Coordinates of all heavy atoms in Angstrom, one line a residue:
Y4 N 16.2 -2.3 1.8 CA 15.2 -2.8 0.9 C 13.8 -2.5 1.5 O 12.9 -2.1 0.8 CB 15.4 -4.3 0.7 CG 14.3 -5.0 0.0 CD1 13.9 -4.6 -1.3 CD2 13.6 -6.1 0.6 CE1 12.8 -5.2 -1.9 CE2 12.6 -6.8 -0.1 CZ 12.2 -6.3 -1.3 OH 11.2 -7.0 -2.0
L5 N 13.6 -2.8 2.8 CA 12.3 -2.6 3.5 C 12.1 -1.3 4.1 O 11.1 -1.1 4.8 CB 12.2 -3.7 4.5 CG 12.2 -5.2 4.1 CD1 12.1 -6.1 5.3 CD2 11.1 -5.5 3.1
A6 N 12.9 -0.3 3.7 CA 12.9 1.0 4.4 C 11.5 1.6 4.4 O 11.1 2.2 5.4 CB 13.9 2.0 3.7
P7 N 10.7 1.6 3.2 CA 9.4 2.2 3.3 C 8.5 1.6 4.3 O 7.7 2.3 5.0 CB 8.9 2.0 1.9 CG 10.1 1.9 1.0 CD 11.1 1.2 1.9
I8 N 8.6 0.3 4.5 CA 7.7 -0.4 5.5 C 8.2 0.0 6.9 O 7.4 0.2 7.8 CB 7.8 -1.9 5.3 CG1 7.2 -2.3 3.9 CG2 7.0 -2.6 6.4 CD1 7.2 -3.8 3.6
L9 N 9.5 0.0 7.1 CA 10.1 0.3 8.4 C 9.8 1.7 8.8 O 9.5 2.0 10.0 CB 11.6 0.1 8.4 CG 12.1 -1.4 8.2 CD1 13.6 -1.4 8.1 CD2 11.6 -2.3 9.3
E10 N 9.8 2.6 7.9 CA 9.4 4.0 8.2 C 7.9 4.1 8.5 O 7.6 4.9 9.4 CB 9.7 4.9 7.0 CG 11.2 5.0 6.7 CD 11.6 5.6 5.4 OE1 10.6 6.0 4.6 OE2 12.8 5.7 5.0
M11 N 7.1 3.4 7.8 CA 5.7 3.4 8.2 C 5.4 2.8 9.5 O 4.6 3.3 10.3 CB 4.9 2.6 7.1 CG 3.4 2.5 7.4 SD 2.5 1.4 6.3 CE 3.3 -0.2 6.8
R12 N 6.2 1.7 9.8 CA 6.1 1.1 11.2 C 6.3 2.1 12.3 O 5.6 2.2 13.3 CB 7.1 0.0 11.3 CG 7.0 -0.8 12.6 CD 8.2 -1.7 12.8 NE 9.4 -1.0 12.9 CZ 10.6 -1.5 13.1 NH1 10.7 -2.8 13.1 NH2 11.7 -0.8 13.2
E13 N 7.3 3.0 12.1 CA 7.7 4.0 13.1 C 6.6 5.0 13.2 O 6.2 5.5 14.3 CB 9.0 4.7 12.7 CG 10.2 3.7 12.8 CD 10.3 3.1 14.2 OE1 10.2 3.8 15.2 OE2 10.4 1.9 14.3
R14 N 6.0 5.4 12.1 CA 4.9 6.4 12.1 C 3.7 5.8 12.9 O 3.0 6.5 13.7 CB 4.5 6.8 10.7 CG 5.5 7.6 9.9 CD 4.9 8.3 8.7 NE 4.4 7.3 7.7 CZ 5.1 6.8 6.8 NH1 6.4 7.1 6.6 NH2 4.5 5.9 5.9
I15 N 3.4 4.5 12.6 CA 2.2 3.9 13.3 C 2.5 3.8 14.8 O 1.7 4.1 15.6 CB 2.0 2.5 12.7 CG1 1.4 2.7 11.3 CG2 1.1 1.7 13.6 CD1 1.2 1.4 10.5
A16 N 3.8 3.4 15.1 CA 4.1 3.3 16.5 C 4.1 4.6 17.3 O 3.5 4.7 18.4 CB 5.6 2.7 16.6
N17 N 4.5 5.7 16.6 CA 4.5 7.0 17.2 C 3.1 7.5 17.5 O 2.7 8.0 18.5 CB 5.3 8.0 16.4 CG 6.7 7.8 16.3 OD1 7.3 7.1 17.3 ND2 7.4 8.2 15.3
S18 N 2.2 7.2 16.5 CA 0.8 7.6 16.6 C 0.1 6.8 17.7 O -0.6 7.4 18.5 CB 0.1 7.4 15.3 OG -1.3 7.7 15.4
C19 N 0.4 5.6 17.8 CA -0.2 4.7 18.8 C 0.2 5.1 20.2 O -0.6 5.1 21.1 CB 0.1 3.3 18.5 SG -0.7 2.1 19.6
E20 N 1.5 5.4 20.4 CA 2.0 5.8 21.7 C 1.4 7.1 22.1 O 1.2 7.3 23.3 CB 3.5 5.8 21.6 CG 4.2 4.4 21.5 CD 5.7 4.5 21.5 OE1 6.2 5.6 21.3 OE2 6.3 3.4 21.5
E21 N 1.1 8.0 21.1 CA 0.6 9.3 21.5 C -0.9 9.1 21.9 O -1.4 9.8 22.8 CB 0.7 10.2 20.3 CG 0.1 11.6 20.5 CD 0.2 12.5 19.3 OE1 1.0 12.1 18.3 OE2 -0.4 13.5 19.3
L22 N -1.7 8.3 21.1 CA -3.1 8.2 21.4 C -3.5 7.0 22.3 O -4.5 7.1 22.9 CB -3.8 8.0 20.0 CG -3.7 9.1 19.0 CD1 -4.3 8.6 17.7 CD2 -4.3 10.4 19.5
G23 N -2.6 6.0 22.4 CA -2.9 4.9 23.2 C -3.6 3.8 22.4 O -3.9 2.7 23.0
Y24 N -3.9 4.0 21.1 CA -4.5 3.0 20.3 C -4.3 3.4 18.8 O -3.8 4.5 18.5 CB -6.0 3.0 20.6 CG -6.8 4.2 20.2 CD1 -7.3 4.5 18.9 CD2 -6.9 5.3 21.2 CE1 -8.0 5.6 18.6 CE2 -7.6 6.4 20.9 CZ -8.1 6.6 19.6 OH -8.7 7.8 19.3
I25 N -4.7 2.5 17.9 CA -4.6 2.8 16.5 C -5.8 2.1 15.8 O -6.3 1.1 16.3 CB -3.3 2.3 15.9 CG1 -3.1 2.9 14.5 CG2 -3.2 0.8 15.9 CD1 -1.7 2.9 14.0
V26 N -6.3 2.7 14.8 CA -7.5 2.2 14.1 C -7.1 1.8 12.7 O -6.5 2.6 12.0 CB -8.6 3.3 14.0 CG1 -9.9 2.7 13.3 CG2 -9.0 3.8 15.4
N27 N -7.5 0.6 12.2 CA -7.1 0.2 10.9 C -8.2 0.5 9.9 O -9.2 1.2 10.3 CB -6.8 -1.3 10.8 CG -8.0 -2.2 11.1 OD1 -9.2 -1.8 10.9 ND2 -7.8 -3.5 11.4
S28 N -8.1 0.1 8.6 CA -9.0 0.6 7.6 C -10.4 0.0 7.7 O -11.3 0.4 7.0 CB -8.4 0.3 6.2 OG -8.1 -1.1 6.1
F29 N -10.5 -1.1 8.5 CA -11.8 -1.7 8.8 C -12.5 -1.0 9.9 O -13.7 -1.4 10.3 CB -11.7 -3.2 9.0 CG -11.5 -4.0 7.8 CD1 -10.2 -4.1 7.2 CD2 -12.5 -4.6 7.1 CE1 -10.0 -4.9 6.1 CE2 -12.3 -5.4 6.0 CZ -11.0 -5.5 5.5
G30 N -11.8 -0.1 10.6 CA -12.4 0.5 11.8 C -12.1 -0.2 13.1 O -12.7 0.2 14.1
S31 N -11.3 -1.3 13.0 CA -11.0 -2.0 14.2 C -10.0 -1.2 15.1 O -9.0 -0.7 14.6 CB -10.4 -3.4 13.8 OG -11.3 -4.2 13.2
I32 N -10.3 -1.1 16.3 CA -9.4 -0.4 17.3 C -8.4 -1.4 17.9 O -8.8 -2.4 18.5 CB -10.2 0.3 18.4 CG1 -11.2 1.3 17.7 CG2 -9.3 0.9 19.4 CD1 -12.1 2.0 18.7
V33 N -7.2 -1.1 17.8 CA -6.1 -2.0 18.3 C -5.4 -1.2 19.4 O -5.0 -0.1 19.3 CB -5.1 -2.3 17.2 CG1 -4.0 -3.3 17.7 CG2 -5.8 -2.9 16.0
R34 N -5.3 -1.9 20.6 CA -4.7 -1.3 21.8 C -3.6 -2.3 22.2 O -3.7 -3.1 23.1 CB -5.7 -1.2 22.9 CG -6.8 -0.2 22.6 CD -7.8 -0.1 23.8 NE -8.9 0.8 23.5 CZ -9.0 2.1 23.6 NH1 -7.9 2.8 23.9 NH2 -10.1 2.8 23.2
P35 N -2.4 -2.1 21.6 CA -1.3 -3.0 22.0 C -0.9 -2.8 23.5 O -0.9 -1.7 24.0 CB -0.1 -2.5 21.1 CG -0.9 -1.9 19.9 CD -2.0 -1.2 20.6
Q36 N -0.5 -3.9 24.1 CA 0.0 -3.8 25.5 C 1.4 -3.5 25.7 O 1.9 -3.0 26.8 CB -0.4 -5.1 26.2 CG -1.8 -5.5 26.2 CD -2.7 -4.4 26.9 OE1 -2.4 -4.1 28.1 NE2 -3.7 -3.9 26.2
K37 N 2.2 -3.7 24.6 CA 3.6 -3.4 24.7 C 4.1 -2.7 23.4 O 3.6 -2.9 22.3 CB 4.4 -4.8 24.8 CG 4.1 -5.6 26.0 CD 4.9 -6.9 26.0 CE 4.5 -7.7 27.3 NZ 5.3 -9.0 27.3
S38 N 5.0 -1.7 23.6 CA 5.4 -0.9 22.5 C 6.0 -1.6 21.3 O 5.7 -1.3 20.1 CB 6.4 0.2 23.0 OG 7.5 -0.4 23.5
W39 N 6.8 -2.7 21.6 CA 7.4 -3.5 20.5 C 6.4 -4.2 19.7 O 6.7 -4.7 18.6 CB 8.5 -4.4 21.1 CG 8.0 -5.4 22.0 CD1 8.0 -5.3 23.4 CD2 7.4 -6.7 21.7 NE1 7.5 -6.5 24.0 CE2 7.0 -7.3 23.0 CE3 7.1 -7.3 20.5 CZ2 6.4 -8.6 23.0 CZ3 6.5 -8.6 20.6 CH2 6.1 -9.2 21.8
A40 N 5.2 -4.4 20.3 CA 4.1 -5.2 19.6 C 3.2 -4.4 18.8 O 2.2 -4.9 18.2 CB 3.4 -6.1 20.6
I41 N 3.4 -3.1 18.7 CA 2.4 -2.2 18.1 C 2.1 -2.6 16.6 O 1.0 -2.8 16.2 CB 2.8 -0.7 18.2 CG1 2.7 -0.2 19.6 CG2 1.9 0.2 17.3 CD1 3.3 1.2 19.8
F42 N 3.2 -2.7 15.8 CA 3.1 -2.9 14.4 C 2.6 -4.4 14.2 O 1.7 -4.6 13.3 CB 4.4 -2.7 13.7 CG 4.3 -2.7 12.2 CD1 3.5 -1.8 11.5 CD2 4.9 -3.7 11.4 CE1 3.4 -1.8 10.1 CE2 4.8 -3.7 10.0 CZ 4.0 -2.8 9.4
N43 N 3.1 -5.3 15.0 CA 2.6 -6.7 14.9 C 1.1 -6.8 15.1 O 0.4 -7.4 14.4 CB 3.4 -7.5 16.0 CG 3.1 -9.0 15.8 OD1 2.4 -9.4 14.9 ND2 3.6 -9.8 16.8
N44 N 0.6 -6.2 16.2 CA -0.8 -6.2 16.5 C -1.6 -5.5 15.5 O -2.7 -6.0 15.1 CB -1.1 -5.5 17.9 CG -0.5 -6.3 19.1 OD1 -0.5 -5.8 20.2 ND2 0.0 -7.5 18.8

């Protein structure tokens, strides 16, 4: 049921692990300290 969200979560996690950070639509830079927390953060 949640497959589209879970797939997006993986894309975000992969991008963050590659760059070391991720930027949301407000321009906020998020730097998770743990890989499992990427999507949560």
Side-chain angles (χ1 to χ4, degrees):
Y4 170 56
L5 298 177
I8 298 178
L9 296 175
E10 291 167 4
M11 180 190 64
R12 181 193 66 180
E13 292 306 308
R14 293 195 298 271
I15 288 174
N17 291 338
S18 176
C19 185
E20 289 179 351
E21 179 180 347
L22 299 174
Y24 64 90
I25 192 163
V26 183
N27 70 20
S28 56
F29 282 83
S31 296
I32 298 175
V33 183
R34 298 181 184 276
Q36 299 301 306
K37 299 179 180 179
S38 60
W39 59 264
I41 292 174
F42 191 64
N43 186 5
N44 292 171

